[in-house]
Each structure stands twice: as C-alpha cells, then as structure tokens.
Amino acid sequence: MLTRLLGVLRSPVLRVGFLVVALGLAVVYVVRDRAAIADAWSRLDAWAVLLAFVLSLANVTLSGASWRAVLADLGSPLPAGAAARVFFVGQLGRYIPGTVFQFVAQAELARDHGVPRRRTGSALAVALLVSMTTASLLVTGVLPLALRGRDIAGWEWTGWLRWATPLLLVLLVPQVINPLLRVLLRVARQEPLEHRITLRGLLASAGWALASWVAVGLQVFVLARAVGADWSTGSTLALAVGGYALAWMVGFLVVLAPAGAGARELVLGAVVALVTGSGGAAVVVLGSRVLLTASDLVLAFAALAGHRAELVARAKAAREER
C-alpha cells in the first residue's frame, strides 16, 4: 500500500494537491480559533509575541538540522536549500491525520535530489526516535526538579517514563538501531541501507534535538512570563522546557491527531497552569500552537520560494550561455 501511495505522489498534480490540503489544514487550526487568538494576543506584549515567534522558528529549524544530521550519516548530505525544501515542506504532512503522510511527502521530495526513499524514511524514523529520546530525558531529568514543592496530584500517570527512557536509549545504540532498521526495511520489502547509523551521527542529531527543545521551552517561558508567571527562579524555565517535552511526547503518541493537536495542548496547559493559573495557561497554550503552526507555514513557503528563485537563476544562466 505504501509503495503504491509513493508511486501515486510522483504525479505533479497530486503533489500540488497534497501541498494545498496540508497548507489548508494548517491554516484551519488558526482560523477556527481566531476569536480566541485575538483575545489571547490582546493579553500579550507585542515584543513577547515577536520573541516567542523567533524561538518557534528556531525550534522548527533545529528540528530540521537534527533530521539532516541523520540523513547525512546515512550517506545523503543534502545542501541546506535542498534539505530545507524536503523537511519544511514535507513536514506539513503532519497536519493531515495519520503520521504516514509526513514520511511519504519527505520521501518523494528527497527523491528529487537523488535520495532513495528507504534512506529518507529511515532518517525520519531515526530523527523522530532521537526527538522522543531527548524529550524523555528532559522530562525525567528536568521536570521533577521544576515540580518539586508544587501540588502535582494527578501526575502519577507520567510514571511510565521511568522505564520508557532507558528503553529509548537502548534503541538508539548503533548495535541495536541498525539491525532494527534492517528488519523494518525487510518487512516493507525494501533493500537494506547502504550505510549504517553511527554513534557520531546520533550524537549530532541529539545535540540539535536538545537545542530545539530548549528553543521551544524558551518560547513557552516567554509567553508564560508575559501573562504573569514568576520568572525570578529557574524553576519556571525548567517547567516550560520539561513540560513542553512531555506535551510533545503525548501528542506524538496520539497518532490520529494532526500534529498532535488537542492532546499536546491538554498536557501543556496542565503544566503551565501550575505557574500561571488556568486563564493564563489557556493563553500560553493557544499562543504556542499558533506560533508553531505559523513557523511551519513560513519556513515551508520560504523553502519553496528559495527553490523557485534557484530555478529561475539556473534558467537565466542557461539562456545567457546560449
């Protein structure tokens, strides 16, 4: 089924259709809550919103760098422009319910640059595993410190992370992840990878992933501070970083929700409410979601515009040579 879907998406018409649908669904999340968004913005300082937006762009960009590091480790070191087009445009598939569309979109876009589909799919799978692992490390290492001394009744359900984190770390050991990828590719009836995942590549990807979590944690912190959260100590920042990492993990596991919508907000709101109250938490959660969605759209459009400009420049150079 996946092979057929990949083949169908080779059609330029369907590629454009996919992009239109993904962009449309991303915009829907903003338009649907426009009244609440307007109310939230009225409670936020303009400079706080601008800084939070810059941090949102940094989060998405650093996530792309984490994925790019894995792809390079697998033998396809894409130039920055090509990598941006594949990652930023391809990840709009997250807004279509079901996680398969992000894999499909990136596989087809990367194929235009000579990257085998199995390599692109493997890179995205490993990058997601790296994101999940680094997020879990932040949740188990940072969040308990931030929650110390607070009323955390009802948070017992997060205890599963105590065993999930070591398991995720084991999965990322090269001697484990490489055989696992071979098995998954065999099940998918794909040829094995030409290059193995190395520890160096995984550490590079993890470094970028950790930086992306810090960036989005700072985004939540800036928004929380703007609605009155106490920022005189580091606990609020730790709560923002660890809380968003936890919210992302829950949102990722709810695979039927586009880009984790709903589940992520529920968890993040519960964490932020510890320092802002329920009213402030609603503003922070909504603002964070809108800014991250806007970042996805801006970076995707920028990547497409850059690609178009590159094509125009090449055509002009070709005409001049004649």
Side-chain angles (χ1 to χ4, degrees), residues 29-289:
Y29 301 132
V30 178
V31 175
R32 182 187 58 191
D33 297 322
R34 58 188 180 277
I37 292 170
D39 178 64
W41 280 175
S42 68
R43 300 176 58 184
L44 292 172
D45 177 76
W47 287 108
V49 173
L50 178 60
L51 178 56
F53 181 55
V54 171
L55 290 167
S56 302
L57 290 171
N59 165 252
V60 181
T61 302
L62 291 166
S63 297
S66 177
W67 164 83
R68 186 184 177 199
V70 177
L71 190 62
D73 197 41
L74 288 175
S76 293
L78 289 180
R85 178 170 175 260
V86 174
F87 184 81
F88 297 139
V89 177
Q91 83 161 1
L92 292 179
R94 297 184 304 130
Y95 291 94
I96 301 176
T99 57
V100 66
F101 292 100
Q102 183 180 3
F103 281 82
V104 170
Q106 287 194 0
E108 282 306 301
L109 290 168
R111 190 173 179 274
D112 294 341
H113 300 281
V115 183
R117 290 167 176 163
R118 64 185 182 279
R119 192 178 297 173
T120 307
S122 298
L124 181 55
V126 173
L128 287 173
L129 181 58
V130 169
S131 293
M132 182 70 73
T133 304
T134 51
S136 187
L137 285 170
L138 285 173
V139 173
T140 55
V142 174
L143 198 56
L145 298 176
L147 292 174
R148 184 176 299 170
R150 301 181 187 274
D151 180 12
I152 56 173
W155 287 88
E156 295 81 3
W157 62 272
T158 60
W160 60 275
L161 288 168
R162 296 174 183 173
W163 58 262
T165 302
L167 176 61
L168 290 170
L169 285 171
V170 169
L171 289 176
L172 277 182
V173 174
Q175 289 79 3
V176 176
I177 188 65
N178 284 303
L180 181 59
L181 285 174
R182 283 199 298 271
V183 171
L184 292 176
L185 288 171
R186 187 180 302 119
V187 171
R189 297 181 180 179
Q190 296 291 317
E191 294 294 323
L193 295 171
E194 300 88 340
H195 303 275
R196 293 167 56 86
I197 293 286
T198 66
L199 181 60
R200 180 178 180 179
L202 289 171
L203 290 176
S205 178
W208 290 117
L210 284 171
S212 75
W213 291 128
V214 172
V216 76
L218 284 170
Q219 179 234 53
V220 173
F221 173 75
V222 168
L223 294 174
R225 176 187 172 186
V227 296
D230 178 22
W231 56 279
S232 59
T233 66
S235 62
T236 300
L237 177 58
L239 194 71
V241 174
Y244 189 89
L246 174 62
W248 181 88
M249 292 183 70
V250 174
F252 178 79
L253 293 174
V254 182
V255 295
L256 296 180
R264 184 183 303 177
E265 282 76 10
L266 183 64
V267 176
L268 182 60
V271 174
V272 175
L274 295 174
V275 292
T276 65
S278 58
V283 173
V284 172
V285 167
L286 183 59
S288 178
R289 164 61 71 173

